[in-house]
Amino acid sequence: MRIGMRLLLGYFLIVAVAAWFVLSIFLKEIKPGVRRATEGTLVDTATLLAQFARADIISGNPQRGQLAQAFAQLRNYRVHANISGIAKRRNEYHVYLTDAKGIVLFDSAGVAVGKDYSRWNDVLLTLRGQYGARSTRSNPDDDASSVMYVAAPVRDGAQLLGVLSVGKANSTMVPVIRRSEHRILWAGAALLGIALLIGLGFVLWINRSVGRLVRYADSVTAGDAQPLPAMNSTELRKLAQALESMRLRLEGKRYIEHYAHALTHELKSPLAAIRGAAEILRECPPAEVVQRFSTNILQQNARMQRLIDNLLRQATLENRPEIQRQPVSLLPLITSLCDSRAVQAQGKRLTFDAAAFDGISVRADALLLEQALANLLDNALDFTPLGGEVRLEVSQAADEVIFTVLDSGSGIPDYALPHIFDRFYSLPRSNGEKSSGLGLAFVQEVARLHQGGITLTPRPEGGVCAQLTVKK
């Protein structure tokens, strides 16, 4: 399982457990909370009605007193109330009044008058001067039929005249309790959904950041190192910097090993030629032989010197993090390049020209850009046979200048395309010789420093199309 999915599951489980714990407490507190609130309302109601019941008891005819008249009218009154979506259509109180001995004098339901309620807790405790309340099932087998009663003393001064008890069926609280439970459950589900979305966003952010580091590491492995990605987290930033430090150390080591191996390989051939010529010269051969092998030694020495110079130039270029770019007019630069190679083109009877580019300029390092274009032109001239064609075109796009060198040479074999920009990799020229293999690597570094690119594409009609792009 991916680390992002593990983080998401762990986060979601923590939120789910916390939500379950909180919701269970809320759900357990809803019913007693509603009942406590209802009991408090019953206490207030009983205390208020007890003041009216005092006059009814003193009058000696409570069945025709104020309470009896009020409840007689209340039976015909229809309530039309909508309490947060809960419809209320009738009065739900049950009220009865007892004398000081607990005998029922008035019952709003009209069924308990004359009965002895002195042993019910609401009446008994109130007659003793305590807080009286009880909950009784109207149907002993049905817990939902329970009714909550709260009593208040009826006094005339210090004299206890009786007890007024107000009851309300617990079933009337069920809609409120269920509605509260549903709302809490929906809120819990919404909380889990929001938590899941937040966790998903967090995981996507983690996966995106880690993915950028993975792509960076893959590019390093492929030898096409991309810029170090910017991280928004301190820990990920430290990880990215550690990867970059490791890359630099590995590349430095690999760079030295590669250059040492390549230099050894490239110097082996001229050294062998020099050694062979020296051994022949030690035998004091005729003058013409001495002349020929002395010339060979000088040629091989010049070859090694060019190789070393190219290596030093390449190493210097690769170690430059940036360059100083200044406006460069391309007309004199291209003209100079073409004029310096006109003799070579004439010697091979090549058609060598450049497209119109007057007025185009670019911000660049003039020397590096000239050397890169010179390498591309030299390659085209070297790999184009007698009577061929070499053409240089310059164009511009929105934010870049494009240099295109076209030739009609032998082209690039398919097997060589993946390695054409590798250092020291080269193909035989039209005359059978091989170059140092550093020219295109140099052009690639120049393109990188100018925030551009270099591509070599075989032409369908034969030859190669080399395109160097440079940011304006």
Side-chain angles (χ1 to χ4, degrees):
M1 184 182 295
R2 298 180 62 179
I3 185 172
M5 185 58 65
R6 292 184 180 182
L7 288 174
L8 179 61
L9 288 177
Y11 168 79
F12 186 73
L13 285 176
I14 292 174
V15 173
V17 170
W20 173 82
F21 181 74
V22 173
L23 288 176
S24 64
I25 293 177
F26 270 97
L27 292 175
K28 288 179 181 178
E29 287 295 321
I30 286 177
K31 187 178 293 185
V34 171
R35 289 181 177 177
R36 283 193 294 268
T38 303
E39 186 175 352
T41 303
L42 291 176
V43 170
D44 294 337
T45 303
T47 303
L48 177 63
L49 294 179
Q51 303 304 315
F52 295 96
R54 178 180 60 185
D56 292 349
I57 294 178
I58 293 175
S59 68
N61 191 11
Q63 295 187 31
R64 296 183 177 274
Q66 295 181 0
L67 284 177
Q69 295 177 16
F71 274 95
Q73 296 177 1
L74 192 61
R75 291 190 188 97
N76 299 323
Y77 181 77
R78 290 291 177 268
V79 179
H80 298 281
N82 190 318
I83 306 172
S84 298
I86 300 175
K88 183 176 177 64
R89 297 291 179 262
R90 60 186 178 83
N91 185 279
E92 296 163 341
Y93 282 150
H94 177 210
V95 178
Y96 57 83
L97 175 66
T98 71
D99 59 14
K101 295 181 180 179
I103 304 301
V104 177
L105 302 176
F106 166 76
D107 179 15
S108 63
V111 295
V113 176
K115 292 184 179 180
D116 185 2
Y117 276 14
S118 61
R119 287 181 295 179
W120 293 109
N121 277 341
D122 56 332
V123 177
L124 176 63
L125 294 175
T126 303
L127 292 176
R128 291 179 179 178
Q130 302 174 13
Y131 169 62
R134 68 180 172 93
S135 183
T136 303
R137 295 180 184 178
S138 57
N139 181 356
D141 299 327
D142 185 6
D143 184 58
S145 67
S146 63
V147 181
M148 182 189 303
Y149 290 95
V150 173
V154 180
R155 296 182 182 276
D156 184 15
Q159 182 183 3
L160 180 63
L161 300 179
V163 175
L164 185 137
S165 189
V166 179
K168 187 170 185 177
N170 288 327
S171 60
T172 61
M173 308 175 203
V174 171
V176 178
I177 294 173
R178 287 180 177 174
R179 179 175 176 274
S180 299
E181 289 176 343
H182 289 164
R183 285 195 169 187
I184 289 177
L185 289 175
W186 274 110
L191 172 64
L192 290 177
I194 293 172
L196 181 60
L197 289 177
I198 294 175
L200 184 61
F202 172 74
V203 169
L204 289 176
W205 174 75
I206 287 288
N207 285 342
R208 180 172 176 270
S209 299
V210 173
R212 292 169 65 189
L213 290 177
V214 170
R215 286 191 295 273
Y216 172 72
D218 289 340
S219 70
V220 172
T221 303
D224 182 22
Q226 300 176 359
L228 183 67
M231 295 288 112
N232 298 324
S233 168
T234 302
E235 292 77 9
L236 291 176
R237 193 179 301 115
K238 289 181 178 179
L239 177 59
Q241 291 172 351
L243 286 175
E244 176 69 1
S245 177
M246 180 178 67
R247 180 187 72 82
L248 292 175
R249 288 180 177 271
L250 290 175
E251 282 193 353
K253 180 181 178 182
R254 190 162 52 244
Y255 182 87
I256 294 173
E257 290 177 349
H258 179 75
Y259 262 58
H261 175 75
L263 183 60
T264 302
H265 176 75
E266 291 296 322
L267 291 178
K268 188 182 298 183
S269 178
L271 285 175
I274 292 174
R275 183 178 59 200
E279 290 176 353
I280 292 175
L281 291 176
R282 288 181 61 181
E283 299 177 359
C284 299
E288 63 275 10
V289 176
V290 172
Q291 178 65 29
R292 180 160 58 90
F293 282 98
S294 298
T295 301
N296 187 35
I297 290 175
L298 293 176
Q299 290 175 346
Q300 296 301 328
N301 180 71
R303 178 183 173 186
M304 288 191 296
Q305 185 64 49
R306 287 195 303 270
L307 177 62
I308 293 172
D309 290 342
N310 288 337
L311 281 173
L312 291 175
R313 187 178 66 167
Q314 182 78 13
T316 302
L317 187 63
E318 291 177 352
N319 288 327
R320 293 177 66 173
E322 58 183 13
I323 55 175
Q324 296 296 326
R325 303 179 66 174
Q326 296 178 349
V328 177
S329 178
L330 296 180
L331 180 58
L333 187 147
I334 300 298
T335 302
S336 174
L337 283 172
C338 292
D339 290 344
S340 63
R341 284 154 181 79
V343 176
Q344 181 182 357
Q346 291 175 2
K348 298 181 68 172
R349 298 191 297 277
L350 302 178
T351 302
F352 180 41
D353 62 348
F357 47 82
D358 192 10
I360 300 179
S361 63
V362 64
R363 291 182 57 84
D365 185 308
L367 179 60
L368 291 180
L369 181 59
E370 182 179 6
Q371 291 176 336
L373 291 175
N375 284 352
L376 293 179
L377 285 174
D378 290 341
N379 277 349
L381 293 171
D382 289 339
F383 284 91
T384 302
L386 296 174
E389 180 184 1
V390 175
R391 180 176 176 81
L392 171 60
E393 297 177 353
V394 182
S395 59
Q396 57 183 341
D399 60 345
E400 62 185 12
V401 174
I402 305 170
F403 301 90
T404 304
V405 178
L406 304 167
D407 67 61
S408 58
S410 57
I412 304 174
D414 292 340
Y415 67 84
L417 286 174
H419 310 287
I420 201 67
F421 293 105
D422 293 351
R423 302 182 192 95
F424 306 108
Y425 186 86
S426 63
L427 294 170
R429 302 175 180 175
S430 59
N431 59 5
E433 296 181 357
K434 294 183 67 175
S435 65
S436 65
L438 293 173
L440 290 177
F442 179 86
V443 175
Q444 188 178 49
E445 286 299 316
V446 172
R448 179 185 65 83
L449 292 173
H450 286 84
Q451 299 176 346
I454 173 68
T455 60
L456 265 70
T457 308
R459 302 174 66 188
E461 64 273 23
V464 174
C465 172
Q467 279 195 333
L468 170 65
T469 59
V470 176
K471 289 287 186 181
K472 287 185 177 181

